[in-house]
Amino acid sequence: MPSFKSFVSDNYRLVFGYALLVAVVIGCHSLPRQGATGKEKNSGPDPHKTWRDFGGGPDQSKYFVQDEITKSNVNQLKVAWTYSTADENVYQFNPLIVDNIMYVLAKGNSLVALDAASGKEIWIHANLQGIAPRGINYWESKDRKDRRLIFQMNNYLQAIDALTGKSILNFGDNGLVDLRQGLGRDPLTVTRAQSGTPGKIFENLLLLGSSTGENYMSSPGDVRAYDVVTGKLAWTFHTIPHPGEYGYDTWPKDAYKYIGGVNTWGEISVDAERGIAYYPLGSPTYDYYGGDRIGSNLYGNSILALDARTGKRIWHYQLVHHDLWDYDLSAAPQLVTVNHDGKKIDAVAVAGKNGFMFVFDRVNGKPLWPIEERPVPASTVPGEQAWPTQPFPTVIPPFGRQDMTSKDLNQYFLKPGEHAEWAKRIDSMGTGLYTPVSMTRETLSIPGAVGGASWGSTAANPEKGIVYVRSIDWPSVYGKVEKRDPPKDDESAENAMAGNGQSIYATNCQACHGADRKGAVGPQLLDIASKLNFEKFQQLVFSGKGEMPAFPHLDEGTMRRLYRFMSETGDARAGGRPAPAKNQTPEGPVVASGGVPKGQELRELTAAMRNASRQGPNSYGVPYPDDAKVSATRYFIPPGWGLGYPFLISPPWSSIIAYDMNKGTIKWKIPIGQDLQATEEGGKNTGVLRSQRNGMIVTSTGLVFCTAKDGKIYAFDADNGKELWAGQLPTGTQGLPSMYELNGKHYLVVSATVPLVWGRGDEKTKPEKPAPQGRYVVFALP
């Protein structure tokens, strides 16, 4: 095991009263050129008065300066106009607004330019199947003659002219930049290299993370920067260090050859005046077993500050050592100015899935309040060595619940007899914030693998030093760990793929989508053929999307049998529509379709990648490289990531927490949203179950707008959390809302495309009527 010093800063060490407890403080080793030590004034529009960026501006504060919508008149907001998505897709898209043009995703994953005053279509670039779902990037030259939208699609970067909607073919190689290249792995072994989140524009660079997948031998999560004009790679930072790089000794010798993850799949924040980019990094893969990555595993689960122009490390701080709980960092680091110990300090606040909030000096990485290393439980899984301590804030209170016993069981939704059964079951589990999974008992983790703070769930008033967090409590119930040995020659993927569509579905899909295809951890698939033709279905299954893993081992014949089974037994029985025609062209001013030629072709992979799976999503996976000295034994948790029981814990299930970072205290905390079934059973202030992927906007007039999964957008008093207004949406919402000004009038836009689900989410608690068609809803004062 590497020494404890291997992940401690060269320059700082804080010793507390515990002999074995040492605070991890990452020192400042170098400062970026051009403005690292002092602020520089940037030209261009005020980023807090426009919404040209995902999250509003470089700092990801979601802070908007305006004086029209106030606490006294916010209750007068009305719908100004709406735009139908003209399909049944769920869109997490954050609209961008530049001048009088709004860019949205709609009409079968088409990029649509709208008149921001009326919603009238200007142009449509149709059929961008595989586009990163959460947003795109806008960039313009200083003379504004070159304006482009840059986005990820099918593991490529592409660019579209922002005024005409047509592809820019001199970007990259005939319009494409291959994100599978340059990762230190054979590109033919890389199935996932793009992120669902768009990255961040800084000057003439696109700063980009990735979504690598969760499996053994996933892609490494290198963070990279690309030239927005040429598409050329500008720099790379290895988040799994290579030989000779800082942090290399926190891993086994050959780890960089086979470990994946340590990726930024969430939001990147930028101090544009200093040229510092802040990356929240995820866990190494495999998420729940680290016998092949003994050590503290820098830069896993770290906040990483880089020179945005060069990619050179300035400082880092690891917030979870040797992660075994999928406690990725993904929420936008919040850049605020605070009064601390009588001094004004520019700080960065980092919220995690584990419910902790950490605050650092954003220039040198020094914690504003002490952080203690406290002992945590050891692992009992063979070959695993859990790190003996974890960082705990000493002043700033957590924003989420971090433990659960049978006394915390929900009083709603549990069927007769279930309460006693679950109480007995929970009392027999291993519980606690940093309790590793086990081969001998179940394990309960709270806030859980998708709880706490995730992408879109942080915002701030930067000048006042107030940080807002949307948090959800979603317990993960992990089954007993199972051992997998390398497959034998007669247990190849071809054998696993053989059979009819039903057996293929049972092997690869059932664990997440249910035996009846009505949904479980994943969404229902009864109407899949009405949403996707075979070509789009094949691309989705081949590449994966969001939390859904890739299945590149399924050949075309196998996918056709799977698609036929799901079409015939899903849509036909449900009375749905037939599958749409290939490359269906939506109505409206279509100027192009499909993006750059060859950008939607299935990618070539090695035979080993195609033959890697023999047991579906919990397969052994691709073998380790021949030259890597590592044990071939692998351990897995059962499929589903333990996410099937969000209803176990008592409410509130989702909340907004306001922190005063001048004091390190919680200013206020309130539930967000209301579950309809819980209301019918007498519940109040419950929040909403599964309320992830929502967002906020903070205004200079003292408002906090926040979406919820109950089909509403709320406005709260930023000073005390009092509800001031609730705007009704046609259905539920995911993604970030946006705010913009046009001709002196201010508008609020929300994507509402998510079917409403109450309670446990089973058939009895779902709406009887079909959900209305999704819309972008725009609010304004009369």
Side-chain angles (χ1 to χ4, degrees), residues 170-216:
N170 62 0
F171 176 77
D173 183 6
N174 295 317
L176 297 174
V177 174
D178 191 347
L179 296 175
R180 301 194 308 169
Q181 300 283 344
L183 291 171
R185 305 275 175 91
D186 181 351
L188 300 185
T189 67
V190 176
T191 59
R192 299 183 68 172
Q194 75 180 44
S195 173
T197 310
K200 185 60 63 177
I201 295 288
F202 173 73
E203 296 180 348
N204 288 354
L205 296 176
L206 170 60
L207 311 181
L208 198 61
S210 62
S211 181
T212 63
E214 314 289 334
N215 301 327
Y216 288 96

Side-chain angles (χ1 to χ4, degrees), residues 1-14 20-29 239 241 245-251 293-304 313 315-323 358 360 365 367 371-376 385-392:
M1 178 184 296
S3 69
F4 189 69
K5 294 180 181 178
S6 63
F7 65 92
V8 177
S9 164
D10 297 41
N11 298 339
Y12 301 100
R13 186 180 297 174
L14 300 177
L20 296 179
L21 305 184
V22 181
V24 182
V25 182
I26 306 306
C28 174
H29 293 267
T239 58
E245 295 178 340
Y246 188 89
Y248 175 71
D249 62 346
T250 68
W251 299 85
R293 52 178 173 89
I294 299 300
S296 60
N297 301 158
L298 282 180
Y299 295 87
N301 308 82
S302 297
I303 174 67
L304 175 65
R313 179 176 65 92
W315 61 267
H316 67 272
Y317 202 109
Q318 190 174 52
L319 302 181
V320 181
H321 312 312
H322 190 80
D323 186 12
F358 296 86
F360 306 92
I371 299 171
E372 291 182 354
E373 289 289 326
R374 298 176 183 171
V376 293
Q385 296 180 32
W387 200 255
T389 63
Q390 293 293 345
F392 284 75

Side-chain angles (χ1 to χ4, degrees), residues 127-146:
N127 297 310
L128 295 175
Q129 182 63 29
I131 189 172
R134 297 169 197 147
I136 58 176
N137 301 283
Y138 173 83
W139 174 88
E140 63 181 36
S141 60
K142 291 183 178 180
D143 61 8
R144 306 201 77 194
K145 292 182 179 179
D146 186 357

Side-chain angles (χ1 to χ4, degrees), residues 2-161:
S3 69
F4 189 69
K5 294 180 181 178
S6 63
F7 65 92
V8 177
S9 164
D10 297 41
N11 298 339
Y12 301 100
R13 186 180 297 174
L14 300 177
V15 180
F16 295 91
Y18 305 89
L20 296 179
L21 305 184
V22 181
V24 182
V25 182
I26 306 306
C28 174
H29 293 267
S30 60
L31 293 173
R33 62 183 177 86
Q34 296 182 357
T37 58
K39 296 183 179 181
E40 290 183 345
K41 184 66 177 177
N42 287 313
S43 59
D46 184 339
H48 293 147
K49 292 185 178 181
T50 64
W51 210 279
R52 296 183 171 201
D53 245 349
F54 178 84
D59 64 359
Q60 292 277 11
S61 65
K62 290 87 173 173
Y63 181 69
F64 196 84
V65 175
Q66 55 90 32
D67 57 10
E68 183 186 12
I69 305 172
T70 67
K71 295 178 185 180
S72 61
N73 64 19
V74 66
N75 60 355
Q76 300 175 35
L77 283 176
K78 304 293 182 183
V79 175
W81 56 267
T82 69
Y83 176 73
S84 173
T85 62
D87 59 22
E88 296 179 357
N89 289 350
V90 170
Y91 291 106
Q92 303 172 357
F93 195 81
N94 181 216
L96 300 190
I97 301 92
V98 182
D99 299 331
N100 66 327
I101 303 176
M102 178 187 294
Y103 301 98
V104 300
L105 202 60
K107 294 191 170 183
N109 282 305
S110 301
L111 198 55
V112 184
L114 304 174
D115 184 318
S118 65
K120 182 180 179 181
E121 293 174 341
I122 300 171
W123 55 255
I124 299 173
H125 192 125
N127 297 310
L128 295 175
Q129 182 63 29
I131 189 172
R134 297 169 197 147
I136 58 176
N137 301 283
Y138 173 83
W139 174 88
E140 63 181 36
S141 60
K142 291 183 178 180
D143 61 8
R144 306 201 77 194
K145 292 182 179 179
D146 186 357
R147 308 184 195 184
R148 54 183 64 192
L149 307 174
I150 305 172
F151 57 91
Q152 304 161 84
M153 192 171 87
N154 299 328
N155 293 320
Y156 289 114
L157 282 180
Q158 297 193 31
I160 283 177
D161 187 299

Side-chain angles (χ1 to χ4, degrees), residues 414-426:
L414 294 179
K415 301 172 184 177
E418 279 191 319
H419 194 283
E421 293 174 6
W422 271 111
K424 182 178 179 180
R425 188 172 168 183
I426 289 173

Side-chain angles (χ1 to χ4, degrees), residues 378-640:
S379 174
T380 60
V381 179
E384 179 61 272
Q385 296 180 32
W387 200 255
T389 63
Q390 293 293 345
F392 284 75
T394 59
V395 173
I396 306 173
F399 55 82
R401 288 178 280 184
Q402 297 175 319
D403 197 9
M404 177 182 175
T405 70
S406 58
K407 296 180 181 179
D408 301 308
L409 272 171
N410 184 14
Q411 64 267 41
Y412 311 110
F413 314 149
L414 294 179
K415 301 172 184 177
E418 279 191 319
H419 194 283
E421 293 174 6
W422 271 111
K424 182 178 179 180
R425 188 172 168 183
I426 289 173
D427 287 340
S428 68
M429 294 180 184
T431 61
L433 185 62
Y434 288 118
T435 299
V437 293
S438 168
M439 298 187 75
T440 60
R441 46 125 176 93
E442 292 182 296
T443 306
L444 187 149
S445 175
I446 182 78
V450 296
S454 189
W455 66 269
S457 60
T458 56
N461 184 319
E463 296 179 355
K464 291 186 176 181
I466 309 299
V467 174
Y468 302 89
V469 182
R470 285 194 77 268
S471 177
I472 60 174
D473 293 333
W474 183 330
S476 291
V477 179
Y478 301 118
K480 296 177 182 179
V481 173
E482 302 170 354
K483 179 181 177 181
R484 294 272 194 280
D485 292 317
K488 299 177 181 178
D489 292 341
D490 59 351
E491 296 176 324
S492 64
E494 285 84 350
N495 290 334
M497 292 186 293
N500 59 27
Q502 185 171 4
S503 65
I504 298 166
Y505 177 88
T507 299
N508 296 280
C509 314
Q510 183 170 309
C512 291
H513 299 283
D516 55 6
R517 296 171 303 285
K518 293 181 180 179
V521 176
Q524 64 87 13
L525 299 176
L526 291 174
D527 56 351
I528 192 71
S530 68
K531 295 181 178 180
L532 300 175
N533 61 31
F534 173 73
E535 287 76 15
K536 293 181 179 180
F537 171 83
Q538 184 182 27
Q539 181 65 262
L540 175 65
V541 175
F542 182 88
S543 301
K545 183 178 181 181
E547 285 79 18
M548 175 184 165
F551 295 85
H553 62 282
L554 301 180
D555 60 22
E556 182 172 343
T558 303
M559 287 203 194
R560 287 193 180 278
R561 292 196 296 276
L562 176 61
Y563 184 75
R564 188 179 305 115
F565 165 73
M566 294 171 68
S567 300
E568 292 175 352
T569 61
D571 256 77
R573 290 183 181 178
R577 303 189 304 274
K582 181 178 179 180
N583 292 329
Q584 184 179 29
T585 301
E587 296 182 358
V590 175
V591 297
S593 181
V596 175
K598 298 185 178 181
Q600 295 203 35
E601 294 180 359
L602 292 182
R603 316 294 291 277
E604 184 180 356
L605 293 172
T606 63
M609 288 300 297
R610 290 193 175 277
N611 295 335
S613 178
R614 65 184 176 92
Q615 295 287 341
N618 243 25
S619 68
Y620 175 86
V622 180
Y624 292 113
D626 292 337
D627 62 344
K629 296 180 180 180
V630 58
S631 171
T633 303
R634 296 177 181 177
Y635 293 83
F636 297 80
I637 61 169

